[in-house]
Amino acid sequence: MSSVTLEHVSKRFGNAKGVAEVDIHIESGEFFTFLGPSGCGKTTTLRMIAGFYFPNEGRIRFGGQDVTSLPPHKRNTGMVFQNYALFPHMTVAENIAFGLQVRKMPKHEIKERVTKIQQLVRLDSYGDRRVDQLSGGQQQRVALARALVIEPQILLLDEPLSNLDAKLRDETRQEIKRLQMELGITTIYVTHDQAEAMSMSDRIMVMQGGEVQQIGAPHEIYHQPLNRFVASFIGETNLLEGVVESVERGIVRLRITPEVVLSGLVQNASPRCKLAAGEKTTVSIRPETIQEAADSAGENIVKGTIQFAEFTGSSTQYVTNAGAFSLRSMMISQGKRVKQRGEEILLHIPHEHVYFVG
Ligand SMILES: Nc1ncnc2c1ncn2[C@@H]1O[C@H](COP(=O)(O)OP(=O)(O)O)[C@@H](O)[C@H]1O
Ligand SMILES: [Mg+2]
C-alpha cells in the first residue's frame, strides 16, 4: 500500500483548463474521494495518477517515489473505468487473468490468483461464463476483480456505480467498502454523487471548474463548508444573504431583510468569511436544524406561510415562504400533525446552526 501525493498539479488541454493547482496528500490505506459535478476535473486528476495523462505542471509521488513521468504499467495501480472496459467475448476468468498474462506470470500462479480473487468478489461459480451473459452488477465485480488481481498498491475507481440501478448501487457500494477495508488498499474513488461520497469516504476532495474547493472528512465538509458551492453541493441547505450589523462578544447579527435579523456565532464561520459591520455575507442553514417555534418571542424566529409540505412517514419536508425568501425545513414526525399549504408557521433557527460561508 502506498500514500499518494500531488504537488501543484495542473493539466491543460490546449487552451482549455482541465485542472489547476491540485495539492493533496492521500494516506496509505485511505479511502479518498474526488467529488464534483460533471466536467469539474475528477477523471483528469485520476488519469494523471494512473499515468494515462501527464501533468503540465507539478509532481506526483507514490510514497517516496516520484512517478510523474512513469507510464501506466510501471505504476502498479488498478483501475476500474466507468464503462468497465471488459472484453465481452471472453469469460470471467479470462478477463480477470488478462493483466497477469500481459505480465507473463506463470500459468499455475495465474490460476491461483484468479480463483482467489473470484472468491473475494463472490463470483466463484462464474469463471466460465462469458462476460456478455452477466448482469450489470456482476460485470462491475469482474471489473473490480480485474483491477485487484494484479495486487495494486493503489486502487482507482472512476464512477464505478453509475451504470447500475439504485438498489444495486447501494449493495455494490457496501461491497466496495468491504473489499477496501478487508484489503486495506489505498483507494481513490471518483463520483458526482454526494451521498455515495459521504457514506464511503475517509476524506473527500470537492472540485468545481477544475479547482479544489475543499478537502475534509465527510462531517467537516457537511458542517463546515468553506464556501457557498460546497454548502449547496453537499446535502440540502438554505443559503441566505445579508449585511452584517454587528459583531459583539462572539455573536454576529446579520440583516437578511428589513424585518429579519439572524444571529450566529463567530466560531461558526468559514475562514474565508469577512465578518465586520457593513460586509455582505451568506449563511448556510441545514433544513434538519430548523424547528417549529411555539411563540414569536426570542431570537432567530421567522414567520411564514407553508408553501409546500411533503410527509414521508418519519419526517415532513416543508417549504415556508417568509416574504423575501423561503426556507426549507425537515421535521421529525413524532406523531405531530402535518401542516398544510397555506397555514402559518413560526420557525426557530438555533443560532449554533447558522454557518457563515461568505
Ligand atoms: N482529452 C481531453 N481533451 C480536451 N478536453 C478535455 C479532455 N479530457 C477532459 N477535458 C476537459 O477537461 C475538463 C475536466 O474534464 P473531466 O476530468 O473529464 O471531468 P469530470 O470527470 O469531473 O466529469 C472538462 O472541461 C473537459 O471537457
Ligand atoms: Mg469523469
Side-chain angles (χ1 to χ4, degrees):
M1 305 309 128
S2 173
S3 63
V4 177
T5 308
L6 275 68
E7 292 170 3
H8 308 291
V9 167
S10 297
K11 174 72 185 168
R12 291 178 294 276
F13 298 101
N15 286 331
K17 178 168 85 179
V19 296
E21 290 285 318
V22 179
D23 241 333
I24 41 178
H25 177 74
I26 299 166
E27 298 291 344
S28 176
E30 193 172 7
F31 195 113
F32 193 95
T33 297
F34 300 165
L35 171 68
S38 176
C40 72
K42 306 180 294 295
T43 295
T44 302
T45 310
L46 199 71
R47 285 182 151 259
M48 286 192 283
I49 295 169
F52 298 123
Y53 290 159
F54 296 108
N56 295 104
E57 279 130 42
R59 315 288 331 157
I60 300 176
R61 281 178 231 285
F62 292 173
Q65 189 194 8
D66 188 328
V67 299
T68 314
S69 46
L70 278 190
H73 64 275
K74 294 205 172 143
R75 295 196 184 196
N76 200 19
T77 59
M79 181 133 170
V80 176
F81 298 89
Q82 195 164 355
N83 57 6
Y84 313 147
L86 298 172
F87 304 113
H89 57 283
M90 289 181 7
T91 66
V92 168
E94 286 164 352
N95 265 277
I96 299 174
F98 187 79
L100 302 178
Q101 283 159 352
V102 172
R103 285 171 171 76
K104 307 239 182 305
M105 186 177 273
K107 271 203 173 127
H108 68 277
E109 206 173 316
I110 293 183
K111 190 153 193 301
E112 215 171 275
R113 278 225 211 166
V114 170
T115 306
K116 200 175 107 196
I117 213 84
Q118 275 180 209
Q119 282 168 358
L120 192 70
V121 300
R122 299 179 178 155
L123 283 173
D124 324 35
S125 52
Y126 288 87
D128 297 330
R129 192 78 77 90
R130 272 171 57 143
V131 157
D132 54 9
Q133 294 165 345
L134 298 178
S135 71
Q138 290 166 334
Q139 290 188 10
Q140 207 280 338
R141 280 184 278 156
V142 178
L144 199 57
R146 195 180 53 177
L148 289 171
V149 79
I150 61 164
E151 299 184 354
Q153 304 186 68
I154 300 155
L155 179 62
L156 306 173
L157 303 157
D158 194 352
E159 312 235 12
L161 308 184
S162 56
N163 292 332
L164 305 179
D165 60 44
K167 185 166 175 288
L168 206 51
R169 257 204 309 269
D170 285 355
E171 280 172 29
T172 313
R173 95 180 173 200
Q174 287 168 19
E175 186 73 7
I176 291 176
K177 189 68 196 169
R178 174 186 70 85
L179 278 175
Q180 191 266 341
M181 289 184 16
E182 237 171 82
L183 301 171
I185 188 168
T186 311
T187 300
I188 307 179
Y189 188 93
V190 163
T191 182
H192 63 272
D193 181 326
Q194 52 96 18
E196 217 170 279
M198 296 287 279
S199 62
M200 297 176 88
S201 317
D202 294 317
R203 282 189 305 156
I204 298 171
M205 171 165 87
V206 185
M207 304 177 77
Q208 189 205 15
E211 287 177 13
V212 178
Q213 304 294 313
Q214 185 166 0
I215 298 171
H219 68 90
E220 284 170 337
I221 60 168
Y222 186 79
H223 293 296
Q224 292 147 23
L226 277 181
N227 59 35
R228 278 189 253 194
F229 174 78
V230 177
S232 56
F233 193 75
I234 312 296
E236 277 205 49
T237 200
N238 296 285
L239 292 176
L240 299 179
E241 279 183 47
V243 177
V244 177
E245 285 213 329
S246 63
V247 184
E248 277 167 26
R249 278 177 257 117
I251 306 270
V252 185
R253 289 173 55 80
L254 187 71
R255 181 158 296 282
I256 310 290
T257 65
E259 298 80 32
V260 176
V261 172
L262 291 181
S263 61
L265 307 175
V266 172
Q267 72 200 48
N268 290 341
S270 156
R272 298 179 191 174
C273 204
K274 268 201 206 139
L275 291 181
E279 294 283 351
K280 272 194 186 160
T281 190
T282 300
V283 288
S284 163
I285 300 157
R286 297 288 182 190
E288 72 274 16
T289 64
I290 300 179
Q291 295 155 7
E292 191 176 352
D295 60 71
S296 58
E299 279 201 324
N300 289 10
I301 303 285
V302 176
K303 187 176 165 182
T305 311
I306 305 241
Q307 218 173 11
F308 177 79
E310 186 184 56
F311 175 65
T312 64
S314 59
S315 65
T316 303
Q317 317 261 3
Y318 290 114
V319 177
T320 302
N321 182 343
F325 61 94
S326 59
L327 280 177
R328 202 170 266 282
S329 57
M330 193 203 75
M331 306 207 187
I332 302 295
S333 294
Q334 295 173 331
K336 278 188 296 226
R337 185 181 75 82
V338 177
K339 284 190 184 287
Q340 300 300 311
R341 181 185 164 86
E343 280 189 64
E344 287 206 337
I345 189 168
L346 288 171
L347 297 172
H348 176 221
I349 302 168
H351 71 185
E352 66 273 23
H353 295 307
V354 174
Y355 195 81
F356 296 87
V357 288

